[in-house]
Amino acid sequence: MASVILRKELECSICLTLYTDPVTLRCGHNFCRDCIDQFLNTQDGSGVYSCPECRAKIQDRPTLERNITLCNVVENFRSTQPHQEEITGICCTYCIHAPVPAVRSCLHCEASLCDNHLTVHSKGPEHVLTDPSTSLETRKCSVHKELLKYYCTEDAACICVSCSLAGEHRGHRVEMLEEASEKKKKKLRNVLQKLITKREKTEERVRSLEERRRKAKKKAAGEARRVSALFIDIRRRVDDLEKKVLSDISRREEDVSLSLSDVIQKLEIKKAELSRKMRHIEELCKVTDPLTVLQEPDTGDLCDPEEEGGDEDTGGHDGGDRGAELISHISHTLSAMIRDINVIFHVQDPADVLLDVNTAGNKLLISDDLKTATWIWNIQTHPETVERFLYNQEMSGRGFTSGRHYWDVEISGSEVWSVGMCYPSIDRRGRQSYIGDNNKSWGLYGVRNIFYSVKHDRNMIPLPHQISSDRFRICLDYEAGQLSFYELCDPIRHLHTFTAAFSEPLHAVLCVYKGSIKILGGAERNRK
């Protein structure tokens, strides 16, 4: 029995097991260090701390001092009764010879009961039975030592009858513990439902972001394949260009070498003849007989007058001009490749181009999303304003005054169409209002899918390329003064680049006769 009583004194009231590294509060109660730490953590931010045993309150978080004596007692107890450590749970208070698990606890008696002792326990109303607990004193008022039966809604505290009638909670609105508990559970269920809803939204957001990440990864993989294919093509073209240039250089070197060999051979013959004449003159100079010297032909006859100062032709120029032309050609080719790469793999997102319905001609129907212009037979009765085009043209509401931008279009069933960019000051009436028929617009033209050209200021340039796609990209580099057109095939192909010193905002503009022109969105832009 003494062992059971001693064990009860050595148990932490929080974890209900033997003390582990016991510490003491100012009020004298002992707890496991980890247990009391976790308990005090729950009170952080409340402005006051209390003891779990006596509810004694202090303003500052208490300093935990190790109870060395109690620690030694616990260790000695463990060493003398190791078998007791295997017993877990709450034991019957009255079973002193051997620990027996308790099934109920009596708040009045402050004791725990096994099945046998419960059958003989008093059935009086003051004997309130609860689930087994070792902290029965927490069920009673720390002031009046009575059972806690009510809940003070004003102070949010569980109180006894005396607290309600004569104590500090007198006159306060109180509720039965069961009623207050149900209300709190109801609030907690509402909070739980809100948390569940918020968690579901969070999960949906996570799934959405995961899907975006998956699409971004897929898009990046596609772009990587396109980059690899493009650079393979560039390397092939550079290798072909290198072979062509080296072959040209080798051919020119051979031609120059043959030409110079002929000249050298002639000069060698001339050199030998000159040496022979020089030896003859030297021999004459050594003759002492004047008659012999004078009888020799005149020395002027020894040299050919026609050869005076006349060197042989060295075969013309050495090919330097041709080499400069080749280097210039290579430089322009590589510059064009780099420009294509910069545009095809533009670091910026596509411009959000929306059509302005106030500028649409009366035979153009603009879609609700302001992305598609369709030619129709019936003439619409739009109000005539200075902004509206007389013919089948339409421009965007947004203009660009700086930076690099691009937008893509898809042509559907049109016989004659044009896309490009223009100044907002473009004429809206007359033949000169068409794209490219003035100095305020630049356009790409297509006629029945058989003729393509670019046009600016009435200067039309036919495109030599065979166009197979119905999708095109318009790229603007405002500061560089460049407006480029590309065919969206695989790989993307450069068609033409206009160069100008832009002086006004540039708006997207289109013209269509029969069929429609659609400004592509992100998903449509990436679809093959």
Side-chain angles (χ1 to χ4, degrees):
M1 180 177 179
S3 176
V4 174
I5 296 174
L6 178 59
R7 180 184 177 87
K8 186 174 181 62
E9 292 298 326
L10 297 179
E11 287 181 349
C12 172
S13 61
I14 297 178
C15 66
L16 307 180
T17 59
L18 293 178
Y19 290 115
T20 301
D21 191 16
V23 294
T24 305
L25 298 183
R26 297 177 185 175
C27 57
H29 290 106
N30 300 297
F31 306 93
C32 299
R33 181 181 295 275
D34 291 341
C35 295
I36 191 62
D37 261 337
Q38 295 179 11
F39 179 80
L40 294 176
N41 287 340
T42 62
Q43 298 180 333
D44 285 343
S46 62
V48 65
Y49 298 88
S50 62
C51 171
E53 291 276 357
C54 62
R55 303 296 180 185
K57 298 181 179 180
I58 55 176
Q59 297 297 322
D60 300 325
R61 181 165 180 150
T63 303
L64 302 179
E65 299 291 341
R66 188 183 187 194
N67 192 328
I68 299 177
T69 302
L70 182 58
C71 182
N72 294 333
V73 172
V74 172
E75 291 300 324
N76 291 331
F77 182 81
R78 280 199 179 98
S79 62
T80 57
Q81 299 186 22
H83 65 279
Q84 295 286 344
E85 292 302 308
E86 299 177 0
I87 303 175
T88 59
I90 301 172
C91 298
C92 177
T93 305
Y94 303 109
C95 294
I96 60 177
H97 298 294
V100 178
V103 294
R104 302 289 282 174
S105 293
C106 178
L107 299 181
H108 180 76
C109 302
E110 296 186 3
S112 298
L113 310 170
C114 63
D115 284 325
N116 294 331
H117 287 97
L118 183 63
T119 57
V120 298
H121 189 69
S122 174
K123 302 298 189 295
E126 69 276 10
H127 292 272
V128 180
L129 298 177
T130 66
D131 293 332
S133 173
T134 57
S135 302
L136 299 177
E137 62 275 9
T138 62
R139 297 280 188 149
K140 291 186 177 182
C141 175
S142 60
V143 178
H144 303 103
K145 304 301 179 183
E146 297 179 7
L147 292 178
L148 300 175
K149 292 186 176 181
Y150 301 103
Y151 180 75
C152 177
T153 58
E154 296 184 16
D155 296 331
C158 296
I159 61 176
C160 65
V161 175
S162 298
C163 288
S164 174
L165 297 178
E168 59 182 3
H169 299 280
R170 182 175 59 184
H172 292 183
R173 184 175 180 273
V174 297
E175 296 176 347
M176 298 298 295
L177 291 181
E178 292 77 6
E179 180 184 358
S181 176
E182 288 301 322
K183 288 184 178 179
K184 185 171 183 178
K185 287 180 180 178
K186 185 177 180 180
K187 291 181 180 179
L188 291 175
R189 291 188 189 99
N190 293 334
V191 173
L192 178 62
Q193 186 60 43
K194 291 180 180 179
L195 293 177
I196 291 174
T197 303
K198 186 175 293 186
R199 185 183 66 181
E200 290 175 350
K201 291 182 179 179
T202 303
E203 291 174 348
E204 180 63 27
R205 178 63 175 165
V206 170
R207 286 193 294 269
S208 175
L209 293 176
E210 289 287 350
E211 180 65 17
R212 286 181 59 187
R213 182 171 66 178
R214 184 189 65 79
K215 290 182 178 179
K217 186 176 181 180
K218 182 178 179 181
K219 181 180 179 181
E223 290 294 325
R225 288 193 296 270
R226 291 177 58 204
V227 169
S228 298
L230 177 63
F231 276 92
I232 288 174
D233 181 64
I234 290 175
R235 283 191 287 269
R236 179 187 59 78
R237 292 164 61 184
V238 171
D239 290 342
D240 292 344
L241 182 60
E242 179 186 14
K243 292 177 182 177
K244 181 178 179 301
V245 173
L246 291 178
S247 176
D248 194 6
I249 292 174
S250 178
R251 179 182 54 79
R252 288 188 295 106
E253 184 269 337
E254 185 177 355
D255 292 342
V256 172
S257 179
L258 290 175
S259 176
L260 292 178
S261 296
D262 292 340
V263 174
I264 291 173
Q265 186 177 6
K266 293 178 180 179
L267 290 178
E268 288 292 342
I269 296 173
K270 182 178 181 180
K271 176 184 174 182
E273 181 65 21
L274 292 175
S275 297
R276 185 187 62 79
K277 293 180 179 181
M278 289 172 61
R279 286 194 300 270
H280 181 68
I281 293 174
E282 289 174 352
E283 291 176 356
L284 286 177
C285 292
K286 294 178 181 179
V287 174
T288 57
D289 183 14
L291 182 60
T292 302
V293 173
L294 294 176
Q295 287 179 345
E296 283 293 325
D298 192 355
T299 55
D301 296 337
L302 297 177
C303 297
D304 189 358
E306 296 180 359
E307 295 179 357
E308 289 295 332
D311 293 335
E312 292 289 342
D313 185 8
T314 59
H317 62 81
D318 59 358
D321 294 339
R322 175 59 178 163
E325 292 177 3
L326 287 173
I327 293 174
S328 177
H329 174 67
I330 294 172
S331 177
H332 283 89
T333 302
L334 293 178
S335 297
M337 291 179 182
I338 294 172
R339 183 183 66 243
D340 290 351
I341 294 171
N342 289 336
V343 175
I344 293 170
F345 301 100
H346 209 280
V347 296
Q348 296 178 334
D349 292 330
D352 187 16
V353 175
L354 299 178
L355 299 175
D356 184 0
V357 295
N358 295 322
T359 64
N362 283 325
K363 279 205 166 188
L364 288 186
L365 181 64
I366 309 303
S367 61
D368 292 338
D369 62 357
L370 305 180
K371 292 287 189 179
T372 304
T374 304
W375 184 90
I376 58 176
W377 284 99
N378 298 327
I379 298 178
Q380 303 176 92
T381 57
H382 293 308
E384 293 188 7
T385 62
V386 294
E387 298 176 322
R388 192 173 305 282
F389 284 102
L390 178 63
Y391 300 114
N392 311 326
Q393 295 194 159
E394 163 81 3
M395 63 185 289
S396 66
R398 177 187 181 185
F400 303 102
T401 57
S402 63
R404 300 172 62 202
H405 312 275
Y406 75 91
W407 54 289
D408 298 343
V409 295
E410 182 178 45
I411 315 298
S412 299
S414 178
E415 292 190 2
V416 180
W417 56 268
S418 179
V419 294
M421 307 201 82
C422 70
Y423 290 151
S425 61
I426 186 175
D427 194 350
R428 313 297 170 95
R429 295 287 188 273
R431 181 66 179 82
Q432 67 278 7
S433 65
Y434 277 118
I435 303 173
D437 280 343
N438 49 73
N439 61 359
K440 296 186 178 182
S441 61
W442 298 257
L444 169 66
Y445 273 85
V447 180
R448 295 182 178 86
N449 295 328
I450 58 174
F451 176 76
Y452 298 89
S453 65
V454 291
K455 195 174 185 181
H456 170 65
D457 200 13
R458 296 187 179 181
N459 181 22
M460 179 177 290
I461 304 174
L463 297 178
H465 309 289
Q466 181 65 34
I467 305 296
S468 59
S469 175
D470 56 2
R471 296 184 175 198
F472 301 91
R473 174 167 294 178
I474 299 91
C475 300
L476 169 67
D477 189 338
Y478 196 94
E479 282 80 6
Q482 292 183 339
L483 179 63
S484 303
F485 296 91
Y486 292 81
E487 179 188 6
L488 293 181
C489 52
D490 192 10
I492 295 177
R493 183 169 59 174
H494 174 252
L495 298 177
H496 186 78
T497 295
F498 286 109
T499 302
F502 301 127
S503 58
E504 296 183 38
L506 282 173
H507 293 250
V509 62
L510 56 85
C511 176
V512 57
Y513 171 69
K514 294 186 179 179
S516 64
I517 297 179
K518 182 178 183 179
I519 300 172
L520 301 180
E524 298 165 308
R525 182 177 284 107
N526 296 327
R527 176 170 56 85
K528 294 296 182 183

